[in-house]
Amino acid sequence: MAARFCTEAVVSTQSTGFYCLKRSYHHIESITKRLYLAAIPQPPLDSILSGHLPSVNKAKDQNKFLDLWIDWIGIYGKNVLFYIQYRPFILTADPAILKPLSTDLTNYCKLPTLPNRSLFGQKIIGGDSILSGGGLRWGIKRRSLSHFFAKNNLEELFKVSKPHMEGRDLNRWKNLIQNGNTIELHEQLSITFCSYLQVLGLEKFLQPDDMANKVADILEAIPKPLFERYSYLISSDKTRMQKLIQQMRIDAQEITQERYDELINNNSSEPLPKVDLLGHLIEANKTNDGKKTNPPEKVVEAVVDDIMTVCLVMDNMVKQVCSLFMLLEKNTEIQEKMFEELRTQPIDRLQDLNKLDYTEKCLLESLRMSPALLRGTRKYKVDRRTKRFGPYVVKEREVRIHFSEYVMQHNPEWWTNPKVFDPERWQPGFVPPAFSYMPFYAGSRGCLGKHMAMMMMKLTLAVLVKNFSITQNFDAAKPPIMNQNMAVMRINNNVDMHLTPLNLAQ
């Protein structure tokens, strides 16, 4: 027992000494970094050791993290340096920085360890998907898929989406509502948007309700390793989520392999159906360099990554429609005007959706006030010759850059009354200043599916509003609010809505 105690004491002393040495090194490194980055404006430090961490934590506790960033930009300028303990970060709202950040994929790199890539070793979307990838392979894939998501293909997508929404999915809503019912909007819209994938070549994948539930579970789990860390590491929930993701990828692999074999066996020169998303994903992943064909197993694995990405991204449209109703709850006149347009405008062709002028204004304003993508991070490799970051001289080899769509879209420099929901600001001919409005991001990494997303959101709103009387029924004690602490928008509390069939409401 005594020997064991002495051994443990020695190990403990060594560990404590190593920890103190490590902390001392980081403190010295921190002082050096602050000297190297001293030219960039920064708020006063909360303390030498913690940097700005107490201010950040306080803002997060109050759900005002991004509001804190807006305040810093307003006080200190378009580029602000802040520290989380000894680690420096640069927050930018400078269009001159945002332009290369969104187009220069070499010097402004995505982080390889973002939480949607994998969950404790179980791949979710991986690092080479249409969302997470980079380099030549990613560029080839993106160019190949751009035809599927292009404006001139929307007509074909509309032709299959409208009958589906007005048929099978509307019947589901009617069975759910019947004589009037309060529903949680996010839950039900998730099923609707997942069901769209069934008419885009993924009809053999998961059923919409099953897919929606699994996507919700994955999105709930993704941030847990960041915030719960060790408690989540040993939890049964972690194991359950790994199995769920693994099975979802297996299901995606089976339908991809089946479609891949069909395409190989047919050996037809006929072009793919314009609405066959799965077929287009397979074609887009057949090569890494435009010359050499990838082996089948590599193609299938890459397509599975993209299917998982598409499933998760569909939730962004769900949250966007939910946030629109959250904003309309306190703007009833705007809501009634939008409803009136949706109920009186026939929707028979794609061009009819384009006539929903006021609805589009409401969606654009909702995208401004509550973008699905709230903030992002890039690793910037400083030019060794110039040692510059924008107008500043820095001596770091690389720095971590933060940017925020939410901050840019609430900046009073570019937006009058930025906290006011005002669809009328979107008058014909109005063009926001460059990089002041980027709900679908911008540049080389701009969202490929933004036109399809707008079409699906308008179509969904039109069908629901034409068939139901819709009113918000939020819990007064726990109303739904946007969580500012996440990189991708999350809504705290239920978005409860009361729906009644219009024939009964009248």
Side-chain angles (χ1 to χ4, degrees), residues 185-186 189 193 313-328 362-374 405 409 421 437-440 453-454 457 461 482 488-491 495:
L185 187 63
H186 186 280
L189 283 178
F193 280 95
V313 167
M314 295 298 282
D315 190 69
N316 289 347
M317 289 181 274
V318 176
K319 288 179 288 196
Q320 209 60 68
V321 175
C322 288
S323 68
L324 172 60
F325 279 106
M326 289 161 57
L327 291 164
L328 290 172
C362 291
L363 279 169
L364 291 173
E365 184 69 349
S366 170
L367 285 161
R368 183 189 70 81
M369 294 196 70
S370 305
L373 303 176
L374 295 175
E405 292 87 338
Q409 294 169 191
F421 181 72
Y437 183 74
M438 44 183 192
F440 296 105
M454 289 296 289
M457 288 190 287
L461 284 169
M482 186 190 76
V488 178
M489 191 220 312
R490 297 181 71 185
I491 297 173
V495 187

Side-chain angles (χ1 to χ4, degrees), residues 176-281:
L176 180 71
I177 304 304
Q178 294 184 356
N179 296 324
N181 196 6
T182 295
I183 55 100
E184 205 289 305
L185 187 63
H186 186 280
E187 178 183 345
Q188 297 306 321
L189 283 178
S190 295
I191 300 174
T192 291
F193 280 95
C194 285
S195 74
Y196 278 123
L197 296 178
Q198 291 194 310
V199 296
L200 300 179
L202 293 174
E203 65 278 0
K204 295 182 180 180
F205 195 33
L206 304 172
Q207 289 300 306
D209 54 346
D210 188 23
M211 186 190 302
N213 289 334
K214 288 181 177 178
V215 167
D217 284 347
I218 293 171
L219 292 173
E220 185 71 23
I222 282 174
K224 285 188 176 181
L226 296 177
F227 297 103
E228 298 181 19
R229 295 183 184 273
Y230 302 114
S231 61
Y232 189 75
L233 178 63
I234 61 174
S235 70
S236 59
D237 188 46
K238 184 210 74 171
T239 303
R240 181 183 70 84
M241 284 308 307
Q242 287 180 314
K243 290 180 179 179
L244 182 152
I245 296 166
Q246 183 181 44
Q247 186 58 53
M248 192 171 175
R249 289 184 62 88
I250 290 172
D251 294 338
Q253 181 179 356
E254 289 176 356
I255 65 165
T256 302
Q257 187 66 60
E258 180 180 342
R259 184 71 178 117
Y260 180 88
D261 292 341
E262 287 176 2
L263 293 173
I264 294 298
N265 293 333
N266 288 342
N267 196 26
S268 173
S269 59
E270 291 293 320
L272 287 168
K274 292 185 177 181
V275 297
D276 182 7
L277 176 59
L278 181 55
H280 283 275
L281 287 174

Side-chain angles (χ1 to χ4, degrees), residues 100-163:
L101 186 145
S102 62
T103 56
D104 182 351
L105 306 182
T106 301
N107 293 313
Y108 291 89
C109 307
K110 276 196 168 187
L111 303 183
T113 56
L114 292 177
N116 62 355
R117 307 298 194 261
S118 65
L119 183 69
F120 289 113
Q122 172 57 57
K123 183 194 283 191
I124 304 176
I125 70 170
D128 291 317
S129 76
I130 191 62
L131 175 67
S132 59
L136 177 62
R137 175 184 178 184
W138 175 81
I140 291 172
K141 179 192 294 192
R142 185 180 174 89
R143 283 194 297 273
S144 177
L145 285 172
S146 63
H147 302 292
F148 180 87
F149 293 106
K151 270 187 174 182
N152 57 15
N153 197 40
L154 284 183
E155 185 72 48
E156 300 300 321
L157 299 175
F158 176 81
K159 287 178 182 178
V160 296
S161 299
K162 179 178 179 287

Side-chain angles (χ1 to χ4, degrees), residues 316-495:
N316 289 347
M317 289 181 274
V318 176
K319 288 179 288 196
Q320 209 60 68
V321 175
C322 288
S323 68
L324 172 60
F325 279 106
M326 289 161 57
L327 291 164
L328 290 172
E329 192 256 346
K330 295 182 179 178
N331 295 275
T332 53
E333 292 183 4
I334 295 175
Q335 177 167 285
E336 287 306 312
K337 185 175 179 179
M338 187 186 81
F339 282 6
E340 178 67 20
E341 179 184 71
L342 288 166
R343 286 175 180 147
T344 55
Q345 172 62 48
I347 305 296
D348 298 317
R349 303 174 304 160
L350 176 65
Q351 291 81 352
D352 294 331
L353 286 180
N354 297 332
K355 296 175 183 177
L356 297 173
D357 295 329
Y358 195 71
T359 301
E360 176 153 328
K361 290 178 181 178
C362 291
L363 279 169
L364 291 173
E365 184 69 349
S366 170
L367 285 161
R368 183 189 70 81
M369 294 196 70
S370 305
L373 303 176
L374 295 175
R375 57 187 173 91
T377 306
R378 294 290 185 270
K379 184 172 62 175
Y380 174 59
K381 298 177 182 178
V382 179
D383 190 311
R384 292 184 178 181
R385 295 169 301 170
T386 63
K387 297 183 179 179
R388 298 191 71 87
F389 169 74
Y392 307 104
V393 175
V394 296
K395 295 183 180 179
E396 286 288 284
R397 291 183 179 178
E398 56 184 43
V399 291
R400 191 74 60 87
I401 311 296
H402 284 281
F403 62 96
S404 169
E405 292 87 338
Y406 181 92
V407 170
M408 298 299 291
Q409 294 169 191
H410 285 76
N411 192 327
E413 180 177 348
W414 296 299
W415 301 94
T416 304
N417 299 321
K419 292 189 177 295
V420 175
F421 181 72
D422 180 17
E424 295 296 346
R425 73 173 83 237
W426 297 94
Q427 294 299 322
F430 170 68
V431 179
F435 298 99
S436 66
Y437 183 74
M438 44 183 192
F440 296 105
Y441 197 48
S444 304
R445 287 196 175 275
C447 176
L448 273 177
K450 61 182 178 181
H451 300 303
M452 186 178 77
M454 289 296 289
M455 181 202 75
M456 287 182 170
M457 288 190 287
K458 286 186 197 175
L459 178 60
T460 302
L461 284 169
V463 172
L464 291 179
V465 173
K466 284 179 185 296
N467 286 275
F468 300 103
S469 169
I470 303 174
T471 55
Q472 289 85 347
N473 192 26
F474 302 159
D475 186 335
K478 292 183 177 181
I481 57 172
M482 186 190 76
N483 187 332
Q484 290 195 13
N485 296 340
M486 309 299 293
V488 178
M489 191 220 312
R490 297 181 71 185
I491 297 173
N492 294 345
N493 306 326
N494 287 348
V495 187

